[in-house]
């Protein structure tokens, strides 16, 4: 699933490509992707202009000129790209926004898990997932006081807690593994067992790693691509994720892979002791 850096990369690309574009027509080939009535969804967006595209956690927020916002969740395989009008539609392209400038904004989703929900701007928190979303992993929102209080009151293993979107927005499997390795914390440690110094280190590493991943245009492991159809670059800078059987960069111990909360998890057994 694309994590915050990948979704932010898509957001920036889409703003460069379609900000200010007007919708001429919409074709929906897989209605389940639209959480609204499809006919009403199309009626409300045709002739409207995309004013900007924002993001909250892993959700894209398309702001339209009539005071509506389309909340788009990419889930596992969702992606957007822009092509000239009339280009042949891929079998996995399920929604096409025809623009008045003879281009098409395509939504492609191999697994059909992505969803779009149209709501009045300002009511995004009514959408499931956004209703309980935690702070963004940036310094002014993910404060040390907040993270300390969150961890101190939870016996949950630290990795699934980091991936809990109600606690921190945007962290998924890849960046949980990476930040825990950077912090020398075992992914199965109970959250309330972390010391004050460990919490401070973890917070710093989360903020730093997410910023670096955004700068690197996100991570391509399976199929992620930017709005320009390009692969991310940050997979070339991963320290532990996907590197089982390779030596740890710090100590040379072979990286191991285990299951934690049903997710493949990579760690150094020497430096990240339980």
């Amino acid at each position: 699933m694309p994590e915050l850096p990948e979704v932010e990369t898509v957001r920036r690309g889409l703003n460069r490509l379609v900000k200010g574009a007007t919708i001429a027509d919409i074709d929906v080939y897989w209605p389940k992707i639209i959480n609204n009535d499809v006919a009403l969804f199309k009626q409300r967006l045709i002739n409207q202009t995309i004013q900007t595209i924002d993001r909250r956690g892993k959700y894209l927020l398309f702001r339209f000129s009539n005071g509506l916002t389309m909340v788009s969740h990419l889930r596992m395989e969702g992606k957007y790209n822009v092509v000239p009008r009339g280009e042949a539609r891929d079998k996995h392209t399920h929604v096409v926004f025809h623009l008045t400038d003879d281009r098409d904004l395509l939504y492609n989703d191999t697994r059909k898990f992505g969803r779009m929900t149209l709501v009045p701007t300002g009511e995004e928190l009514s959408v499931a997932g956004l209703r309980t979303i935690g702070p963004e992993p940036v310094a002014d929102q993910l404060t040390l006081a907040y993270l300390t209080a969150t961890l101190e009151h939870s016996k949950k293993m630290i990795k699934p807690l980091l991936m809990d979107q109600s606690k921190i927005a945007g962290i998924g499997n890849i960046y949980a593994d990476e930040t825990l390795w950077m912090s020398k914390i075992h992914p199965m440690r109970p959250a309330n067992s972390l010391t004050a110094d460990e919490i401070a280190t973890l917070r710093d590493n989360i903020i730093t790693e997410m910023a670096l991943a955004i700068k690197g245009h996100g991570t391509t492991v399976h199929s992620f691509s930017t709005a320009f159809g390009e692969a991310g670059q940050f997979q070339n800078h991963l320290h532990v994720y996907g590197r089982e059987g390779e030596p740890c960069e710090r100590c040379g111990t072979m990286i191991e892979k285990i299951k934690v909360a049903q997710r493949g998890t990579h760690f150094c057994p020497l430096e990240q002791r339980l």
Side-chain angles (χ1 to χ4, degrees), residues 154-249:
S154 178
K155 297 179 181 179
K156 194 173 184 178
M157 291 185 292
I158 185 62
K159 178 176 177 177
L161 185 144
L162 292 180
M163 296 172 60
D164 182 343
Q165 301 301 294
S166 70
K167 300 295 189 293
I168 306 173
I171 300 177
N173 205 37
I174 297 172
Y175 300 110
D177 281 3
E178 289 294 300
T179 54
L180 289 171
W181 177 84
M182 294 166 68
S183 308
K184 299 183 179 181
I185 297 169
H186 194 285
M188 295 177 69
R189 281 269 303 274
N192 62 2
S193 74
L194 271 62
T195 67
D197 286 345
E198 286 176 321
I199 294 171
T201 297
L202 177 60
R203 172 182 175 269
D204 290 344
N205 285 330
I206 289 171
I207 293 166
T208 299
E209 183 74 352
M210 298 302 263
L212 287 173
I214 291 171
K215 187 176 180 181
H217 306 297
T219 296
T220 293
V221 175
H222 298 295
S223 64
F224 165 73
S225 62
T226 70
F228 294 95
E230 301 166 338
Q233 302 168 12
F234 200 66
Q235 65 274 11
N236 302 315
H237 303 284
L238 297 179
H239 303 288
V240 65
Y241 183 86
R243 297 189 180 278
E244 64 270 20
E246 297 180 21
C248 173
E249 295 175 11

